[in-house]
Amino acid sequence: MTHATTDAPGLGTVLREWGRIGCIGFGGPPTHIALLRALCVERRKWLSEREFEDAIAACNLLPGPASTQLAIFCAWRVRGRAGALVGGAAFIVPGLIVILALAALFLTGSPPLWVRGAGAGAGAAVAAVAVHAGAGLLPAGWKRAKTTGRLRWGAYLGLGVVAAATLGPWLVLVLLGCGAVELAVHRKRTSLLALPVGTAAAGAGVFLSVAWVALKVGALSYGGGFVIIPLMQHDAVDHYHWMTGGQFLNAVALGQITPGPVVQTVAVVGYAAAGLAGGLLASAVAFTPSFLFILLGARHFDRLRGNPSVRAFLDGAGPAAVGAILGSAIPLALSLDRPWQYAVLAGAAILLLALKRGVVPTLLIAAAAGSALALLGVGLPG
């Protein structure tokens, strides 16, 4: 792939077009991919259809938020490194502003009763969203399992479910282990080469902890944003005690209903730990690996995709990541502490899985239900 076209747009065009997608990109990666395709392939013809599909595949091979990396890559492809920096920032910043404003509303002081109810309602639906996200990846993964072997694919999937439900911060070791096992099987079979290698006054220690959590989110989230939810939940709720379980569910819900990358959830975690500075730090650290992967490695994407050892590793890590997305629903559901929240969760599952409604409308309905119930006097999570 070359990194620029003969009719490369100006940086102002990149800022405007990628910023527009950052403002209207509700609904997560499927929406982001559709908007980027409409812009770069169909409307402006900066990339061919094959180049765009190759870019999607290459970004899915990388850790971190794939749709963000795709946005950065497309900007790199049409305007080089400067375009990647401008386009990536324009894609990320609108959602960051919105989610930090909402974090201030939900986490600071005593928000109104209806706001607390809306958060509790939307948070109750998050476990269903996780199942919906994982279920959407199962058909394509099962089709690719012909390469891996159906039995091993199922084992990797099951290990991912169990690890997400029980291991918290050690989940990533299971993902890497499944990839390593499949790579070993591949090498034995084909003899190919191995895979190459809380407040604004928070102290420096809190900021270092926020940066460490955000780095894990940005550098280890194979398979989508939900893979790192058990890890974030363990750090933010159980280890550092920056948030309650209910507040963490609110954070995940906010990441789903705001535009731009779902990984922005980490900004809410950072805000809970160290105020606005913590939220900005968390976002900057979480997205830095994505920029580095594209700026330093985009020209090598074709070779990466064609490496059989890389493919074998991901044949193991991929189904484990899907299992982790499904398994993340378990600790999320266990975080609910009001009976009515389970009713909202059941309703959200029906809307998403049976009636095939979208994630954003479902979360908004759940939020409205929670708000109405709060005003009627039902108990809210502490």
Side-chain angles (χ1 to χ4, degrees):
M1 297 179 189
T2 58
H3 72 277
T5 58
T6 55
D7 56 343
L11 289 178
T13 300
V14 173
L15 178 65
R16 182 180 68 252
E17 295 291 355
W18 269 254
R20 180 181 62 84
I21 294 174
C23 289
I24 67 173
F26 294 90
T31 300
H32 303 156
I33 291 171
L35 290 171
L36 286 166
R37 176 184 277 116
L39 169 66
C40 296
V41 178
E42 298 170 1
R43 184 154 57 88
R44 295 292 192 129
K45 303 189 186 305
W46 288 324
L47 282 75
S48 69
E49 185 67 36
R50 180 173 180 179
E51 286 174 316
F52 190 80
E53 295 300 329
D54 285 349
I56 294 173
C59 290
N60 281 324
L61 294 178
L62 301 173
S67 65
T68 301
Q69 290 163 352
L70 180 64
I72 298 170
F73 175 85
C74 289
W76 173 86
R77 174 66 178 78
V78 303
R79 198 58 174 80
R81 290 186 172 181
L85 293 170
V86 171
F91 176 74
I92 292 167
V93 168
L96 176 62
I97 293 172
V98 174
I99 203 168
L100 286 176
L102 290 171
L105 178 64
F106 279 91
L107 299 178
T108 302
S110 299
L113 187 63
W114 70 269
V115 171
R116 293 173 54 208
V126 167
V129 175
V131 174
H132 175 262
L137 297 172
L138 287 175
W142 181 249
K143 183 182 293 186
R144 289 194 298 272
K146 290 185 294 185
T147 303
T148 309
R150 307 288 193 191
L151 183 61
R152 288 200 308 279
W153 185 90
Y156 299 145
L157 182 79
L159 285 170
V161 171
V162 172
T166 61
L167 296 184
W170 306 109
L171 165 64
V172 66
L173 297 181
V174 174
L175 301 183
L176 295 174
C178 290
V181 168
E182 188 59 27
L183 176 60
V185 171
H186 174 77
R187 290 183 64 190
K188 183 176 181 180
R189 187 171 60 231
T190 64
S191 300
L192 292 175
L193 295 176
L195 175 69
V197 198
T199 64
V206 173
F207 286 111
L208 287 175
S209 298
V210 168
W212 173 236
V213 172
L215 181 62
K216 289 187 286 186
V217 168
L220 300 176
S221 54
Y222 283 99
F226 270 104
V227 173
I228 46 80
I229 281 177
L231 183 152
M232 273 200 296
Q233 185 175 28
H234 172 84
D235 285 344
V237 178
D238 302 323
H239 183 64
Y240 295 112
H241 306 292
W242 293 329
M243 316 171 77
T244 65
Q247 288 173 328
F248 181 78
L249 287 173
N250 289 349
V252 178
L254 292 179
Q256 290 287 317
I257 64 175
T258 50
V262 174
V263 175
Q264 295 282 26
T265 298
V266 75
V268 186
V269 173
Y271 186 95
L276 180 60
L280 293 173
L281 174 66
S283 183
V285 172
F287 288 110
T288 292
S290 293
F291 281 96
L292 292 177
F293 287 142
I294 302 303
L295 293 174
L296 301 179
R299 64 181 67 251
H300 305 297
F301 273 11
D302 284 342
R303 187 169 59 187
L304 176 68
R305 290 187 62 238
N307 187 313
S309 295
V310 172
R311 287 290 188 183
F313 179 85
L314 290 167
D315 281 343
V322 175
I325 294 172
L326 293 168
S328 70
I330 297 173
L332 290 171
L334 293 175
S335 296
L336 304 178
D337 62 3
R338 299 292 176 178
W340 67 265
Q341 289 184 292
Y342 287 97
V344 172
L345 173 59
I350 292 171
L351 286 172
L352 288 168
L353 302 175
L355 301 180
K356 309 298 183 183
R357 296 295 186 263
V359 169
V360 173
T362 297
L363 287 171
L364 292 176
I365 291 171
S371 184
L373 288 169
L375 293 174
L376 290 174
V378 300
L380 294 176

